[in-house]
Amino acid sequence: MRRADLKAVGEVRRDLREMLRYRCRADTADVAELLATELVTNALVHTDHGAEVSLRLAATRIRVEVRDGTARKPRPYVPIADDGTHGRGLMLVQALADAWGVDPVHGGKVVWFELDPGDPGTV
């Protein structure tokens, strides 16, 4: 998806929700959707290179990766009080993910987060 394709963020959310529906707790799927939305939106708004999203599911870990074509590392931003909703994405990732990070890759970077899927039969 390219920068102009912010409507694709909703598609990413829907696809992620469908993939996680029976594989993790509903509240974990909600957090994964939120955090993926933040990372994809950041990649589309702050780079000119689009984004690629991948999901890895394991019994003990959900990993979502968002790759973009800019090597510049994102930094969490502490917004000022009158800043609206701008700048809170990475703060949410820090607060809600079990782990997260940024890895350099050829031609850009991957920003990722991990969550414990929990038992899908529990809430």
Side-chain angles (χ1 to χ4, degrees), residues 13-32:
R13 284 182 70 104
R14 282 189 298 280
D15 290 348
L16 190 60
R17 183 180 315 124
E18 186 62 32
M19 287 186 270
L20 294 176
R21 178 183 296 193
Y22 301 109
R23 294 174 177 91
C24 67
R25 292 186 326 255
D27 60 333
T28 302
D30 291 344
V31 170

Side-chain angles (χ1 to χ4, degrees), residues 20-96:
L20 294 176
R21 178 183 296 193
Y22 301 109
R23 294 174 177 91
C24 67
R25 292 186 326 255
D27 60 333
T28 302
D30 291 344
V31 170
E33 284 181 51
L34 172 65
L35 300 185
T37 296
E38 294 297 335
L39 295 185
V40 170
T41 300
N42 282 351
L44 295 177
V45 169
H46 298 293
T47 74
D48 293 323
H49 302 283
E52 294 177 21
V53 181
S54 64
L55 169 69
R56 293 187 208 164
L57 295 168
T60 60
R61 195 63 59 194
I62 295 168
R63 183 177 175 109
V64 176
E65 298 179 345
V66 178
R67 179 183 179 140
D68 66 52
T70 301
R72 186 179 67 249
K73 288 187 173 186
R75 290 188 315 244
Y77 165 77
V78 179
I80 55 177
D82 63 350
D83 209 8
T85 59
H86 172 72
R88 290 176 170 78
L90 285 179
M91 289 179 57
L92 286 171
V93 174
Q94 278 185 317
L96 299 175

